[in-house]
Amino acid sequence: MLRRILAGLGTSVLAAAVLSAQAGAPPQGEGGRQGRGDGQGGGRGSANLPTDAQWAAMSPKAKEYVDKAKAIAGDDPDLQFDFGIFCKASGGSQNPDRASVGVPNSEPKLEPYPAPSPAQVVGGQRLFDNFYWIGNTGIGAWLITSNDGYILFDTMNSEDDAKNIIFPEMKKLGLDPMKIKYMVFGHNHFDHTGGGEYIQRITGAKAVMHRDDWEIYLKSSGRGGGRGRGRGADAAATGETATAPPPAPAAPLPKMKRDIDATDGMTLKVGDVTATIFQMTGHTPGSIGMVVPVKYQGRQHPILLVTAGTDVHNREAFVGGYEHIWDEAIKMKVESVMQAHPNTNMNLLARTKYVNDHYPPAKNPLLYGAARTERYINIMRNCTLARMDILGW
């Protein structure tokens, strides 16, 4: 009898495993989203990315786009490096890409800094006179300072990140967290919004997010980070068995108060800094980016903060989201493109470490200048067009 029962259990487990495998993994998104099922862990061949085999067998039209991107790079070593990041099947923004990225063969000479797993705290880095990055090797937040308060772009994963990374690192830099006037969120995912509720509660800063991502955020089941989000690791650590009763449901985590709905072209003014928000639908329905004026050695330089590299889900998102913000940025003569996940856009960990450690360096490798940044954007554009052609969009 016991043998028959065990055999039946084994058959049931095997059937469940087969059904689970047939169901497939959830779709992958941009960047490593901790505590979520949608983090990019190398989801090659997903609905949004061609496989390596498809890339190798690209159509003549796709090859035209790749050749155009390569021609735009020319003999510029930084742009050649960027071409190598973006013109491949993965688009350069998968976690394995970030964990293996090198450095350009340009001046100043940099030491490679691949993103380790698990992520390691980097802390606060001064990149320009009024501009800082605070975070770990997987995700961070941008801080823009003025003579009358600060703007924070994204808030990392969780309340713990806000308490133990963002606030302490600001204080080490001589910056007062209570001077944060606005928090701007590139999109609703918890690795970008996780620390928002705590910062809003402590500082009174106004939260800014696009209407459609506010709706998604407020309807979602959690706030961000790893607390109270799944039992697998805890069960293994404590020796908990499958027959143990489930724990009592955790109290709902608090959410940010909805303050401001971001709109395309909206400006935020804090003291002597005016930031301009642009819609970049694609990664999420309400994704946004922002152009901010940074100061470096007596001069002002507009830079573009995007919320995703080239995570395009369809042609409509490409035209109405990514191309829209890229074209607006070109009009504003931006001189750099960065995002909260390092090691995809210009904010390589190797670059940010160099700038912070040598601040102010004679040559800031994060500044490409307007003409080279336009070429950079057009490399991203053509590499993305090649992937879309391969996918039949």
Side-chain angles (χ1 to χ4, degrees):
M1 175 66 73
L2 180 59
R3 288 181 179 176
R4 286 199 298 272
I5 291 171
L6 291 173
L9 286 171
T11 303
S12 299
V13 170
L14 177 61
V18 171
L19 287 172
S20 176
Q22 288 174 342
Q28 304 295 308
E30 181 88 359
R33 265 172 286 293
Q34 301 175 18
R36 291 175 58 87
D38 57 356
Q40 279 186 324
R44 305 294 286 276
S46 73
N48 302 330
L49 292 171
T51 63
D52 288 332
Q54 288 173 317
W55 180 265
M58 68 177 64
S59 68
K61 184 62 176 177
K63 189 174 184 306
E64 282 183 26
Y65 290 127
V66 172
D67 290 344
K68 185 174 181 180
K70 187 174 183 179
I72 292 170
D75 59 1
D76 184 307
D78 288 306
L79 294 175
Q80 289 175 341
F81 176 82
D82 300 323
F83 167 81
I85 285 183
F86 293 113
C87 260
K88 56 186 176 184
S90 69
S93 57
Q94 301 278 293
N95 284 342
D97 296 317
R98 292 172 174 145
S100 60
V101 69
V103 293
N105 183 25
S106 60
E107 296 294 337
K109 295 300 182 184
L110 305 171
E111 291 294 325
Y113 194 163
S117 180
Q120 299 174 3
V121 174
V122 174
Q125 295 181 327
R126 188 176 195 178
L127 306 181
F128 300 105
D129 296 347
N130 64 335
F131 187 77
Y132 304 80
W133 184 80
I134 303 169
N136 61 40
T137 53
I139 188 67
W142 301 106
L143 184 72
I144 305 100
T145 64
S146 81
N147 59 358
D148 191 31
Y150 312 150
I151 299 172
L152 186 68
F153 190 96
D154 287 348
T155 59
M156 298 188 65
N157 281 288
S158 64
E159 180 172 317
D160 287 343
D161 282 353
K163 281 182 179 178
N164 300 321
I165 300 177
I166 296 177
F167 276 17
E169 292 301 327
M170 285 182 65
K171 291 174 182 176
K172 287 180 186 177
L173 292 164
L175 303 170
D176 182 1
M178 297 304 292
K179 291 185 177 180
I180 300 172
K181 304 295 186 185
Y182 293 103
M183 297 181 294
V184 179
F185 296 96
H187 61 278
N188 70 82
H189 292 158
F190 292 146
D191 56 334
H192 297 255
T193 59
E197 190 278 333
Y198 174 80
I199 296 174
Q200 185 185 57
R201 174 165 32 102
I202 297 301
T203 69
K206 299 295 184 183
V208 183
M209 189 157 43
H210 189 277
R211 173 199 66 194
D212 295 286
D213 271 33
W214 269 122
E215 296 294 337
I216 297 168
Y217 168 81
L218 292 170
K219 292 174 184 175
S220 60
S221 59
R223 179 185 58 186
R227 279 194 310 177
R229 303 185 59 77
R231 300 172 55 229
D234 292 339
T238 60
E240 185 178 85
T241 67
T243 58
L253 293 168
K255 295 291 187 67
M256 288 184 287
K257 178 167 61 77
R258 183 173 183 167
D259 287 319
I260 299 171
D261 288 4
T263 57
D264 192 54
M266 170 188 284
T267 58
L268 295 176
K269 181 174 175 56
V270 178
D272 57 353
V273 167
T274 299
T276 306
I277 293 172
F278 293 106
Q279 187 166 325
M280 59 174 299
T281 296
H283 185 50
T284 64
S287 288
I288 58 174
M290 188 166 74
V291 174
V292 296
V294 300
K295 298 173 183 176
Y296 189 64
Q297 297 186 327
R299 294 185 57 199
Q300 186 165 286
H301 307 268
I303 67 170
L304 173 64
L305 301 180
V306 293
T307 198
T310 56
D311 182 37
V312 175
H313 295 185
N314 52 51
R315 188 166 284 272
E316 291 90 336
F318 175 71
V319 175
Y322 287 81
E323 283 205 307
H324 169 65
I325 196 167
W326 290 341
D327 290 341
E328 292 295 335
I330 289 171
K331 290 176 189 174
M332 295 185 74
K333 299 186 183 302
V334 299
E335 299 183 46
S336 190
V337 180
M338 307 189 204
Q339 65 157 302
H341 293 290
N343 280 4
T344 294
N345 289 105
M346 292 182 188
N347 56 304
L348 301 175
L349 289 167
R351 283 186 177 136
T352 59
K353 183 179 189 305
Y354 175 86
V355 172
N356 181 73
D357 291 352
H358 297 84
Y359 199 85
K363 178 183 178 182
N364 192 324
L366 294 167
L367 284 175
Y368 273 40
R372 290 174 77 225
T373 301
E374 180 173 355
R375 291 165 66 191
Y376 174 91
I377 289 172
N378 285 324
I379 288 170
M380 287 196 293
R381 189 194 311 265
N382 281 281
C383 296
T384 307
L385 283 165
R387 280 190 294 278
M388 292 197 302
D389 182 84
I390 292 168
L391 292 169
W393 296 352

